[in-house]
Amino acid sequence: QVQLVESGGGLVQPGGSLRLSCAASGSAFVFYTMRWYRQGLGKEREWIATIDSGGGTNYDDSVKGRFTISRDNAKNTVYLQMNSLKPEDTAVYYCNAVRFVNNDYWGQGTQVTVSS
């Protein structure tokens, strides 16, 4: 069993930056593929970034070049560095962990609001 807790959300102006953290409890964090998702009000949850157990990354086109996903296995933590934020980035951001297919873990989410 893995518990995930997101933090670092808040209010930021357009063009600003924010760093989200996802702290994982439980064993075998190094073997998990970690992902960030987001869900705007009235919208479906969408995938935005992945980092696998070897450190390989993938991004949705909507955030590519602006967001960076990283992990610190010694701290059991995955990060999402968000730069050049836009109002359309406003959403609840969720952390996801997968080791075996169809066996997912989710955090409670953290609110990010981009507004002037």
Side-chain angles (χ1 to χ4, degrees), residues 23-109:
S25 63
S27 61
F29 176 81
V30 65
F31 298 114
Y32 282 82
T33 292
M34 305 297 296
R35 292 181 172 90
W36 284 99
Y37 291 75
R38 66 185 180 187
Q39 186 170 20
L41 187 63
K43 299 180 179 179
E44 293 187 352
R45 189 172 299 185
E46 63 176 346
W47 165 83
I48 55 173
T50 297
I51 184 165
D52 62 31
S53 59
T57 59
N58 292 101
Y59 300 92
D60 183 73
D61 287 342
S62 66
V63 305
K64 190 175 298 181
R66 299 188 298 123
F67 291 10
T68 302
I69 188 171
S70 62
R71 68 192 298 161
D72 187 338
N73 290 335
K75 297 181 178 180
N76 277 21
T77 302
V78 63
Y79 303 95
L80 186 68
Q81 178 66 47
M82 305 185 294
N83 299 325
S84 302
L85 284 162
K86 307 173 182 179
E88 52 261 45
D89 295 318
T90 296
V92 177
Y93 283 71
Y94 296 92
C95 181
N96 168 267
V98 178
R99 183 178 181 184
F100 304 107
V101 68
N102 298 322
N103 187 17
D104 291 44
Y105 300 91
W106 294 89
Q108 295 297 306

